[in-house]
Amino acid sequence: MRPLLLTALAVLSAPVGAAGQPGPDPSTARAPAEAAAEVVAEPVEVGSVFELEVRVDHPASADAAPVLEDALGPFRVFGMAPVDSGEDAPGESRFLIRLGAFVLPGDHEIPAVPVGLRLPGGELAMLETPPAPVRVVSSLPADAEAGDIHDIRGPFEVRVPPRWDRLALAGLALLAVAAGLWLWLRHRARRLEPAPPPVPAAVEAAAALARLRAADLLETGDVTAFYERLAGIMKRYAGRRFATRWSERTTGEILSDLEARSEPALAGSLPLLATVLGEADLAKFSEQSFRPDTAEARFDDAGRFLERTRPRAAPEPDSSPEAPPA
């Protein structure tokens, strides 16, 4: 409640004399006034907010106000409001202070409330109210069980038949054995299952080219993305088909490895792959724009390379019976 303290001091610290003239020391000024404090309604329940009335009797033309901090002893301050005393009591100031009763039940004492006073001549003075007694009671109903409200009951004793603990341990052990056996059998079955044969490189590449065609990248004008996907398909196919490294390899490294293979299927077909990968590198790294019809021509070159280098099925032996000699 720092604003309450600052407001009271601001009201009372302004001198009445000429500008620039400091007021007297409030610690040495005598206060021809009296102050008292009283709880409005008792008893007060634990955890509730109650009101403390402060009454100050002073000269008619003087000003008074309580000077509050965040708390008054163990009681937290929630606010303060002046009470109109009326014209019949010009020398009386009354205030209501809202306090929180966050204490244990019992008889307590609210500490003295400091009050600032500005006298008619401009002198400042401080006085205090006497401590105010307050009775705090429990918020439990009157017929509640007697005892400390903070008491925590211990756990109830649960009696288990003598043989149940053994049966529970045996059941847990059996469950653990069954779970381990099931996991072992499942793992063993997976090891015995034959691995599916890999998809042939040519079949995989043909399906990837079909998906690239269906993506309509050239129709939407994304020629660079078209070249990137086309180059990736052909690098993977060439690496799988001729057993060379292709991942994380440059176009020059892949072509050098293929030239060293001396595969008959590459004779006359390697320039097609070199054209596709080289043009894709230009589209990606040099940001050179290519027309869609040029990219379409490279797609056709990739299809021709795939068709020329795919493995050929071996001819089946002639199983027809030989004609008898004439």
Side-chain angles (χ1 to χ4, degrees):
M1 292 299 162
R2 299 292 180 184
L4 299 178
L5 181 145
L6 296 177
T7 302
L9 291 181
V11 171
L12 298 174
S13 61
V16 180
Q21 296 297 327
D25 185 1
S27 63
T28 60
R30 297 183 61 186
E34 294 182 356
E38 183 180 4
V39 177
V40 175
E42 285 191 281
V44 177
E45 290 187 353
V46 173
S48 64
V49 177
F50 65 99
E51 292 181 336
L52 176 71
E53 182 180 13
V54 175
R55 186 179 65 257
V56 185
D57 296 323
H58 53 76
S61 56
D63 295 320
V67 181
L68 300 177
E69 297 285 343
D70 293 337
L72 285 173
F75 299 95
R76 182 178 176 184
V77 176
F78 283 98
M80 178 188 69
V83 179
D84 187 9
S85 300
E87 297 180 357
D88 297 337
E92 181 183 78
S93 296
R94 295 167 57 199
F95 303 89
L96 287 179
I97 302 174
R98 300 177 69 243
L99 301 176
F102 305 127
V103 295
L104 292 177
D107 293 325
H108 296 269
E109 188 177 72
I110 302 175
V113 179
V115 178
L117 190 69
R118 186 175 65 184
L119 300 175
E123 299 89 351
L124 296 179
M126 295 292 294
L127 64 155
E128 292 182 344
T129 68
V134 58
R135 181 169 181 77
V136 180
V137 297
S138 173
S139 58
L140 296 177
D143 57 350
E145 182 180 357
D148 188 359
I149 61 174
H150 299 285
D151 185 26
I152 300 177
R153 296 180 180 271
F156 289 101
E157 181 181 0
V158 179
R159 297 187 178 183
V160 181
R163 299 181 59 183
W164 281 23
D165 53 350
R166 300 178 185 177
L167 293 177
L169 291 176
L172 290 177
L174 183 61
L175 183 60
V177 172
L181 181 61
W182 178 78
L183 291 175
W184 178 79
L185 291 176
R186 184 179 179 184
H187 179 68
R188 184 172 180 271
R190 287 182 177 179
R191 288 191 305 172
L192 296 179
E193 290 179 0
V199 179
V203 175
E204 180 187 63
L209 290 176
R211 290 192 297 269
L212 177 59
R213 170 74 73 183
D216 295 334
L217 294 178
L218 297 180
E219 286 74 4
T220 58
D222 199 352
V223 181
T224 301
F226 176 86
Y227 271 112
E228 289 181 359
R229 289 183 58 176
L230 180 62
I233 294 171
M234 298 314 296
K235 285 181 179 180
R236 179 177 174 86
Y237 166 70
R240 290 193 60 200
R241 169 67 179 84
F242 299 104
T244 60
R245 293 175 53 196
W246 59 272
S247 180
E248 305 295 333
R249 303 270 287 175
T250 64
T251 297
E253 293 171 344
I254 293 175
L255 294 177
S256 297
D257 292 344
L258 294 177
E259 289 177 356
R261 295 289 296 174
S262 300
E263 290 281 349
L266 290 174
S269 302
L270 199 56
L272 293 173
L273 180 63
T275 302
V276 173
L277 299 183
E279 196 166 296
D281 289 342
L282 288 176
K284 179 178 180 181
F285 297 108
S286 67
E287 298 183 357
Q288 179 177 349
S289 72
F290 291 89
R291 297 183 305 176
D293 56 350
T294 304
E296 187 71 34
R298 300 292 79 77
F299 184 86
D300 295 339
D301 290 341
R304 283 193 290 270
F305 178 79
L306 175 61
E307 182 62 29
R308 292 181 184 181
T309 57
R310 70 168 58 238
R312 304 300 175 185
E316 295 182 0
D318 188 7
S319 59
S320 60
E322 296 182 0

